[in-house]
């Protein structure tokens, strides 16, 4: 039976690390890091995520600002708001919650955020730095996945890691981070032939596809670490992951629950990234 990788407990540790650092940074530099979160429209899931991000920022003692724009807002107005925050010296980190309404070009919005304030690590400057193996802002969910894996104490070097999903936000960056730690990495996706044959090779299996219960116990190698990035809502309103927890926990050595696994870690790493943005902007703080 697998041990539970408790993202809620680990995220509390990370947020406490940030909380101590905020005190130190304020004492040293005379101001606190400031995270600015923009939400457009009334997507209920996004509203929950954003509320939790602002709540976490308050817990760590950093400043946060929430900008709520109606779903009817024009792309031009949103880009104008981002430009304003880019040039506001009191703002260290900018997050635009995705998805955006259909009439707004998400790519344009991502490109508009100043790279040094791009707390999500989505700007092409940060993405290219990541792929070149240079210092950069690492996207929050992949960073959280790595911290969860590290908390098992298992050495990633030389292990076979299978990432199911190839999104820019999770699949691709998590694969690169695993590669940086000398895992042998396979990226599987919706066109992968015989997914089970591929996932059964995995010492570390990361599922990030958004398909409820896709990964079944028979697809898991005995003793694998299973990380479930999926957050899906079932018809009865319950949250469930991409991993069928009941059958996979019979096979895995470690497994993340949904909720309470990767989700809280994403928010905790967002706090870490805000500190990073602050340090990159304050002379002498790095
Ligand atoms: N929507 C779902 N995940 C994320 C994320 O990590 N960042 C932002 N900005 N929006 C998201």
């Amino acid at each position: 039976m697998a041990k539970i990788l408790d993202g809620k407990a680990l995220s509390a540790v990370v947020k406490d690390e940030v909380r101590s650092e905020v005190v130190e940074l304020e004492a040293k530099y005379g101001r606190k890091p400031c995270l600015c979160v923009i939400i457009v429209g009334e997507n209920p899931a996004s509203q929950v995520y954003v509320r939790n991000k602002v709540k976490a920022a308050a817990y760590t003692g950093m400043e946060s600002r929430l900008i709520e724009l109606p779903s009817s807002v024009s792309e031009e107005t949103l880009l104008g708001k981002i430009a304003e925050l880019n040039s506001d010296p009191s703002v260290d980190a900018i997050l635009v919650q995705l998805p955006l309404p259909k009439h707004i070009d998400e790519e344009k919005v991502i490109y508009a955020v100043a790279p040094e304030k791009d707390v999500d690590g989505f700007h092409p400057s940060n993405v290219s730095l990541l792929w070149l193996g240079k210092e950069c802002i690492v996207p929050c969910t992949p960073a959280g996945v790595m911290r969860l894996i590290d908390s098992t104490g298992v050495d990633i070097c030389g292990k076979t890691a299978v990432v199911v999903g190839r999104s820019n936000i999770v699949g691709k960056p998590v694969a690169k981070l695993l590669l940086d730690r000398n895992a042998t990495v396979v990226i599987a996706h919706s066109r992968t032939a015989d997914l089970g044959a591929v996932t059964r090779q995995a010492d570390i299996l990361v599922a990030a596809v958004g398909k409820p219960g896709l990964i079944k116990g028979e697809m898991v190698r005995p003793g694998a670490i299973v990380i479930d990035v999926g957050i899906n809502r079932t018809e009865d309103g319950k949250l469930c992951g991409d991993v069928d927890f009941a059958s996979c926990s019979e096979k895995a050595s470690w497994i993340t629950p949904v909720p309470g696994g990767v989700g809280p870690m994403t928010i905790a790493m967002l706090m870490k990234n805000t500190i990073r943005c602050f340090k990159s902007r304050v002379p002498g703080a790095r």
Side-chain angles (χ1 to χ4, degrees):
M1 197 67 186
K3 289 183 280 264
I4 302 292
L5 268 171
D6 186 343
K8 203 164 168 209
L10 185 56
S11 73
V13 171
V14 174
K15 284 189 285 186
D16 282 336
E17 288 169 10
V18 172
R19 194 175 153 110
S20 307
E21 209 170 353
V22 168
V23 173
E24 282 168 29
L25 291 172
E26 193 187 11
K28 218 163 158 187
Y29 302 106
R31 71 174 187 89
K32 299 169 175 183
C34 173
L35 168 67
C36 201
V37 178
I38 302 178
I39 179 167
V40 181
E42 274 102 45
N43 179 321
S46 291
Q47 284 176 324
V48 173
Y49 297 146
V50 161
R51 210 178 307 134
N52 288 337
K53 287 170 185 179
V54 171
K55 221 164 90 183
Y59 175 81
T60 65
M62 65 175 66
E63 299 272 340
S64 68
R65 287 188 216 162
L66 175 61
I67 298 173
E68 295 171 283
L69 299 172
S71 58
S72 60
V73 75
S74 69
E75 185 180 280
E76 193 188 356
T77 305
L78 176 58
L79 293 174
K81 191 74 216 167
I82 293 169
E84 201 182 292
L85 298 172
N86 282 344
S87 53
D88 182 341
S90 67
V91 172
D92 297 294
I94 302 168
L95 180 146
V96 183
Q97 187 65 29
L98 304 177
L100 291 167
K102 295 239 177 324
H103 66 279
I104 298 175
D105 183 344
E106 238 166 56
E107 198 172 279
K108 257 195 204 165
V109 170
I110 290 168
Y111 285 35
V113 176
E116 72 276 14
K117 296 190 181 188
D118 168 35
V119 73
D120 268 319
F122 292 168
H123 189 281
S125 297
N126 283 311
V127 175
S128 51
L129 289 171
L130 178 74
W131 284 92
L132 290 167
K134 305 286 183 195
E135 275 225 5
C136 64
I137 299 166
V138 175
C140 307
T141 301
V145 167
M146 296 307 289
R147 180 100 188 216
L148 278 164
I149 297 170
D150 281 335
S151 76
T152 65
V154 171
D155 186 10
I156 296 171
C157 180
K159 299 289 190 300
T160 297
V162 176
V163 179
V164 187
R166 52 177 157 178
S167 69
N168 289 332
I169 295 184
V170 184
K172 282 189 251 181
V174 96
K176 176 60 168 72
L177 294 172
L178 287 161
L179 184 61
D180 287 345
R181 300 286 297 277
N182 301 310
T184 302
V185 182
V186 177
I187 304 179
H189 46 76
S190 54
R191 306 286 177 91
T192 297
D194 199 353
L195 181 62
V198 176
T199 57
R200 274 190 291 277
Q201 303 297 311
D203 301 306
I204 299 167
L205 178 57
V206 180
V209 267
K211 288 215 175 105
L214 174 73
I215 307 296
K216 306 271 190 264
E218 75 249 20
M219 298 163 75
V220 174
R221 180 177 192 161
I225 297 172
V226 177
I227 308 287
D228 189 352
V229 185
I231 303 179
N232 312 293
R233 214 164 270 279
T234 58
E235 276 166 23
D236 54 4
K238 274 197 183 150
L239 281 186
C240 77
D242 293 345
V243 170
D244 178 49
F245 186 87
S247 61
C248 291
S249 57
E250 301 273 329
K251 301 283 281 296
S253 58
W254 292 93
I255 190 167
T256 60
V258 175
V262 174
M265 289 305 294
T266 295
I267 294 178
M269 301 321 272
L270 173 65
M271 302 299 110
K272 281 262 179 203
N273 277 0
T274 303
I275 299 268
R276 202 193 161 86
C277 291
F278 174 93
K279 286 182 175 172
S280 75
R281 297 188 57 252
V282 176
R286 292 181 80 178

